[in-house]
Amino acid sequence: MDCILPNYSINFRDEFSLITGEELERFMKLDSDAHTHNFYILSFLYEGYVSHLSDFENKQLSGPAVLMLDVDQVHTHPDMSNCKIVSIAFSSHFIADQTHQFLQKVNLLFSRPFIQISFEKLQELDHIIKIIATEVDKEDADEELIKALLNVLIVQCCGLSVKYPVKDHNVQGIYDSFKALLKQHYHKQHQVKFYADRLNVTTRTLNQSVRKSTLKTPKQLIDAHLLLEAKRLLYWSKVPAKEVAWELGFETDSYFNRFFKKYTGETPKEFHRKQFHGKTE
């Protein structure tokens, strides 16, 4: 059942790529059927029209607009024959060393499929995109500069998301609301019932809505989010596993150890020790 929809892994250099022109057309034609990626895609529609299908929301968009595809979000690639569009793809690992506040902005931005913006705002974003494109083309491209520019772009787009709120009723409102709640409460609330109660729906309804959008259960998404945050803390900080367990709301160290080993095959201490030594060698 896990392979009903294909999931494609990022294979870009340094887990980041700015894709334009013919390269973008080839990328979009790789698979026209529904699938998912293990990376984010942030696209900028300058002019023309695209049909943007993400989960159950299918929109015919006209430029100027910003299109977002979250990690593991079910989608199809749009027809690009009559538009000008630039896409940026990057992995979770590429931004994993950023602050918690910044990662919250990423979560907020990618919780919706698109932002319809003004031409003037797109021109402002285009200045940043052109600098990124210039740096990416260099043989000795500076990854830290690219990362910093991507950060600026994401913060700017996040501000636009607030300025241009969603007006249409989202048929996947339950799933979208669950994602937003999960990003707020994952570090304290691990039970599906909490989220169902907050959304004023039954756990059955929540399970059905999430499964229809992702082919995964709410519990799987909760665990995946916890695991990702645990890895980030263990990899990028010197915080001991015991404090990570407390930070993520696990009742006991032993429960956190069992949870982590179930998905990674090693204990939090083993993962932390291996990653820490690897970075200092």
Side-chain angles (χ1 to χ4, degrees):
M1 293 296 290
D2 292 338
C3 297
I4 291 177
L5 292 177
N7 179 278
Y8 300 118
S9 298
I10 196 167
N11 57 2
F12 304 120
R13 184 186 64 181
D14 299 325
E15 302 196 48
F16 172 93
S17 184
L18 187 146
I19 325 169
T20 62
E22 293 182 0
E23 182 185 7
L24 181 56
E25 285 194 45
R26 289 194 298 270
F27 175 75
M28 291 297 184
K29 291 178 180 178
L30 285 177
D31 194 338
S32 59
D33 294 328
H35 60 278
T36 64
H37 297 151
N38 74 336
F39 50 90
Y40 298 96
I41 297 183
L42 185 60
S43 299
F44 303 88
L45 179 62
Y46 290 76
E47 58 188 43
Y49 300 85
V50 296
S51 181
H52 185 53
L53 172 61
S54 60
D55 289 328
F56 286 90
E57 186 164 359
N58 191 0
K59 288 288 185 180
Q60 184 73 21
L61 300 178
S62 60
V66 183
L67 287 63
M68 289 78 69
L69 282 172
D70 204 350
V71 173
D72 291 333
Q73 188 166 24
V74 179
H75 66 281
T76 61
H77 287 159
D79 178 6
M80 293 179 43
S81 56
N82 295 304
C83 68
K84 177 185 176 183
I85 189 169
V86 172
S87 291
I88 291 176
F90 58 96
S91 70
S92 298
H93 185 265
F94 190 76
I95 59 171
D97 60 341
Q98 302 304 307
T99 66
H100 179 67
Q101 289 79 7
F102 174 79
L103 295 175
Q104 285 183 318
K105 290 183 183 295
V106 174
N107 288 336
L108 175 62
L109 175 61
F110 284 87
S111 67
R112 60 184 292 188
F114 67 91
I115 314 170
Q116 202 79 57
I117 63 175
S118 67
F119 177 78
E120 290 73 22
K121 287 298 180 183
L122 184 56
Q123 288 299 106
E124 292 177 13
L125 298 176
D126 184 60
H127 291 311
I128 305 170
I129 295 168
K130 285 178 178 175
I131 299 173
I132 293 176
T134 300
E135 188 63 29
V136 167
D137 284 341
K138 295 179 180 178
E139 289 187 8
D140 57 343
D142 188 332
E143 182 178 298
E144 290 305 312
L145 176 57
I146 293 172
K147 191 176 294 186
L149 291 167
L150 175 63
N151 290 0
V152 173
L153 202 56
I154 288 173
V155 171
Q156 291 284 340
C157 289
C158 189
L160 292 173
S161 182
V162 174
K163 183 175 181 180
Y164 298 97
V166 177
K167 295 180 180 179
D168 296 335
H169 175 68
N170 188 344
V171 296
Q172 279 299 105
I174 293 177
Y175 170 57
D176 290 342
S177 297
F178 168 72
K179 285 200 300 182
L181 280 176
L182 178 59
K183 289 163 186 174
Q184 294 176 32
H185 300 287
Y186 70 89
H187 58 295
K188 294 297 181 184
Q189 301 293 339
H190 304 171
Q191 301 303 314
V192 175
K193 188 176 185 305
F194 166 82
Y195 297 96
D197 289 345
R198 288 293 298 267
L199 295 171
N200 198 29
V201 298
T202 65
T203 55
R204 178 182 174 84
T205 297
L206 180 57
N207 270 281
Q208 289 175 338
S209 297
V210 172
R211 273 187 172 278
K212 285 180 180 178
S213 296
T214 67
L215 295 181
K216 296 180 180 179
T217 67
K219 184 58 177 172
Q220 286 175 318
L221 296 184
I222 293 169
D223 286 354
H225 202 91
L226 282 170
L227 182 64
L228 176 61
E229 294 298 327
K231 285 183 174 180
R232 284 171 173 165
L233 291 171
L234 291 167
Y235 186 92
W236 293 109
S237 74
K238 297 180 181 179
V239 175
K242 184 176 181 179
E243 290 189 32
V244 173
W246 178 84
E247 178 70 23
L248 295 179
F250 287 89
E251 295 179 358
T252 64
D253 296 348
S254 60
Y255 180 31
F256 177 55
N257 287 342
R258 292 195 302 272
F259 170 85
F260 195 87
K261 191 167 186 178
K262 173 184 176 182
Y263 291 108
T264 66
E266 55 190 348
T267 67
K269 287 184 179 180
E270 290 168 344
F271 178 86
H272 177 76
R273 188 182 303 115
K274 182 176 66 177
Q275 304 305 326
F276 181 75
H277 289 328
K279 288 184 289 185
T280 55
E281 289 177 354

